[in-house]
Amino acid sequence: MTPKKIILDTDPGIDDILALLLALSSKSEDLELLLISLTFGNIEVKNCLRNVVSMFHILEREMQWRRDNGKAEGYGTLRASRPVVAVGAEEPLESQKMLADYFHGTDGLGGIHATHPHLTASNPWEHLFDPAVDPESIQPVQKGAGPTDHSFLPSRLPAHKEILRALRENDPETVTLVAVGPLTNLAMAAAEDPETFLRVKEVVVMGGAINEPGNVTPVGEFNAYADAFAAARIFALTSPSPNSTLPPTESPLLPPYPAKLSKQLTLRLFPLDITLRHNLSRGQFTSAVEPLLAAGSPLAEWVNAFMGHTFRTLERLHPGHVGDDAQLSLHDPVCVWYALTAEDSHWASSADSPEDIRIETLGQWSRGMCIVDRRSRHKIDGDQESSSDHGLWLSTRAGNRILRMDGSPAEKTFGKILIDRLFH
C-alpha cells in the first residue's frame, strides 16, 4: 500500500505538537510526512522552530528508551523517512500581528524551556536554518542528505518555497496539505506559482467559525483572524473565478491570480463547529500518562509538562473546566486524523457543501469572520455584479466553493485514540 503524503503547515503550539506527534506516530505504510512548514501564529516563528526541534530531540530519546525496555519503538513514519523542516512567515501579509501566547505561553509550550531545560534541544542546530544565507544559492534539500544525527532534514529555503518544491517533486493530486496555523505560507506559495500550488490533492484547513462564536473575538477564530488576507486568498482559489473574492490590496507581492487557472482548489474546512466536539479531558490524560511517567518515558515527561500548563490555563479561562473535567479541544489533531482516515465514510461535510464562505479582512470588529450567505435567493447565471447581487454572492460563476466538514468517525473517542497513538 502506498503511504499517504502530507505537508503539515503549523505554528507549534500545544495542539500543533499533538498533531505533529499523531502524524509521526503513524505506521510507515500509512503516511509519509514530506514537510513541516512553520509559520508565526500561536507564538513567534523562532519559538515554533525550537519546539519542533525539541520534539524531535524527545522522540529520539523516547525511541531509545523503548528499545532499552524491550518495547516496540512506534513512530514508524518518523523512522521510515525524515521530514524536511522549513521556517516560514514571521508576520501576516497585511495586518497587525497577533499571537496566542496568552494560552500557549510565550514559548508555545507553557514555559517548558525554562522549567524543564533538560527536555529542550541544545542550540547548535540553529545554524542549520540560518536565513542569512542567500536562499537562491542553496540547493533544495534532497532525501537522504543532511546531518545524520537528526531525525529531520533542515532547510534554509523559506517554507513557501519548500511547499512548492514538494508539490513539484510529487505527482499531481498525491499530496495533501494540512494547514493548522495562519495561512500565510500557503498564500505566499500560491501567489508565487498558483499552478504548482494547484497540484495539491486538497488543502485541509483548521480555521474559522460558522455557527459557533469565535475564540479571539465574538466572530473571529484565531487562525482566520491572525492572517485574514492570507485565508481569503487561499479560499479564493476554490472559486471558478478566483479574483471575484480576493481581498483588496496594493501589495506587489500579492498580485491577482491569472484569469484562467487549470483547476479549482479542493479545500476542506475544519472550523470550530467541528473541532470543539473533539476533546481530551485531564482525567483521560492523567490516567494514561501516570504509568508511563513512573516507568521513565521521556515523551510522557515532556508532554505532561506542557499539558499541565494547558489544563491550568483552561481552568482559568473557562467556567466549569475544573479538575479532571477540564477539556482541551483537539483542533489541530482532528485535521491530521482526517488526512490519515479520509476514506472513512463517517467523515461528512455539511449538507450545504460546497459553500460560498468568505473571510472578512477589513471590518473593525469582524476581521477573520466567516461570511456565509444565508439568504434564500435564486442563483444568477453570470459573473457580472448586479444591483440585486453586490459581491457576486448569487453568481453561478463566482464565489468560493468550500467543503465545510461537519461530522467525523470519532467525536466521542478521539481523545483516547490520540493518546493511544502517541504513547503505544
Side-chain angles (χ1 to χ4, degrees):
M1 183 175 70
T2 303
K4 297 171 181 175
K5 298 179 179 182
I6 73 168
I7 296 168
L8 189 47
D9 191 79
T10 178
D11 56 337
I14 288 159
D15 57 329
D16 303 75
I17 287 291
L18 297 178
L20 281 162
L21 291 171
L22 177 60
L24 293 167
S25 68
S26 301
K27 296 178 180 178
S28 60
E29 60 265 31
D30 292 339
L31 181 70
E32 181 181 3
L33 181 57
L34 300 174
L35 169 65
I36 299 170
S37 54
L38 301 177
T39 178
F40 83 97
N42 291 322
I43 49 173
E44 300 285 359
V45 72
K46 64 180 181 181
N47 289 330
C48 294
L49 177 60
R50 177 168 61 171
N51 292 343
V52 166
V53 173
S54 293
M55 176 193 69
F56 283 111
H57 167 70
I58 291 297
L59 286 175
E60 290 162 7
R61 289 177 53 188
E62 172 73 8
M63 289 187 288
Q64 183 61 54
W65 174 80
R66 293 185 183 188
R67 288 192 295 269
D68 292 344
N69 287 272
K71 301 176 181 293
E73 288 181 74
Y75 287 84
T77 289
L78 177 58
R79 288 186 288 112
S81 62
R82 294 181 291 164
V84 174
V85 176
V87 181
E90 296 182 1
E91 57 188 16
L93 296 176
E94 289 198 7
S95 51
Q96 183 178 1
K97 180 160 66 175
M98 173 184 174
L99 304 175
D101 49 7
Y102 70 92
F103 182 83
H104 296 268
T106 303
D107 69 356
L109 295 178
I112 192 172
H113 301 294
T115 60
H116 297 70
H118 62 290
L119 299 178
T120 297
S122 57
N123 290 330
W125 49 267
E126 290 180 339
H127 71 282
L128 301 172
F129 301 90
D130 187 355
V133 179
D134 179 10
E136 299 301 326
S137 69
I138 301 170
Q139 294 299 314
V141 174
Q142 301 295 323
K143 289 288 179 68
T148 58
D149 57 340
H150 296 297
S151 50
F152 61 89
L153 297 173
S155 175
R156 290 187 173 95
L157 291 175
H160 74 280
K161 292 184 179 291
E162 283 290 359
I163 290 172
L164 292 172
R165 177 197 61 78
L167 293 174
R168 287 190 194 102
E169 291 183 357
N170 289 276
D171 291 339
E173 304 282 336
T174 61
V175 177
T176 296
L177 206 170
V178 181
V180 295
L183 298 183
T184 316
N185 288 335
L186 278 68
M188 292 172 67
E192 181 170 312
D193 191 344
E195 285 295 346
T196 294
F197 188 80
L198 289 173
R199 290 169 64 93
V200 71
K201 179 179 180 181
E202 60 183 4
V203 174
V204 178
V205 172
M206 191 282 122
I210 308 300
N211 298 312
E212 287 285 337
N215 57 7
V216 292
T217 73
V219 295
E221 178 275 331
F222 176 80
N223 287 339
Y225 184 95
D227 197 340
F229 277 87
R233 286 185 64 90
I234 291 300
F235 280 32
L237 285 171
T238 69
S239 172
S241 176
N243 292 323
S244 68
T245 65
L246 280 184
T249 179
E250 298 179 358
S251 170
L253 300 177
L254 302 171
Y257 292 122
K260 296 288 186 181
L261 290 171
S262 61
K263 58 177 286 193
Q264 293 167 234
L265 178 69
T266 299
L267 189 152
R268 295 188 185 273
L269 183 67
F270 282 74
L272 294 180
D273 305 61
I274 183 171
T275 61
L276 285 170
R277 305 201 299 262
H278 296 75
N279 298 288
L280 173 66
S281 73
R282 176 188 261 147
Q284 277 181 300
F285 177 76
T286 300
S287 64
V289 81
E290 280 186 343
L292 296 166
L293 289 171
S297 161
L299 181 62
E301 182 184 5
W302 189 63
V303 175
N304 185 63
F306 65 74
M307 288 293 282
H309 161 86
T310 302
F311 288 120
R312 289 190 296 274
T313 303
L314 289 167
E315 287 182 321
R316 177 170 52 83
L317 293 176
H318 299 289
H321 282 256
V322 296
D324 284 351
D325 293 330
Q327 294 202 48
L328 173 66
S329 294
L330 301 169
H331 306 290
D332 298 344
V334 173
C335 296
V336 171
W337 186 242
Y338 167 78
L340 283 165
T341 64
E343 67 282 353
D344 191 315
S345 61
H346 291 92
W347 287 107
S349 55
S350 69
D352 297 324
S353 285
E355 297 176 73
D356 186 358
I357 301 173
R358 308 185 193 182
I359 301 292
E360 174 59 48
T361 60
L362 299 178
Q364 179 182 4
W365 307 117
S366 56
R367 168 179 156 188
M369 181 181 182
C370 288
I371 308 294
V372 181
D373 189 355
R374 304 182 192 278
R375 300 172 296 176
S376 178
R377 299 278 294 276
H378 288 296
K379 289 290 185 181
I380 298 173
D381 185 17
D383 55 7
Q384 298 298 314
E385 192 171 70
S386 70
S387 58
S388 64
D389 183 27
H390 292 283
L392 295 170
W393 287 93
L394 302 176
S395 170
T396 59
R397 303 181 195 175
N400 297 333
R401 304 288 190 270
I402 305 294
L403 298 169
R404 176 168 66 90
M405 302 305 290
D406 195 40
S408 90
E411 285 188 19
K412 302 296 185 183
T413 60
F414 184 58
K416 184 178 186 307
I417 291 172
L418 177 68
I419 292 301
D420 286 347
R421 290 286 294 257
L422 267 53
F423 294 112
H424 301 291

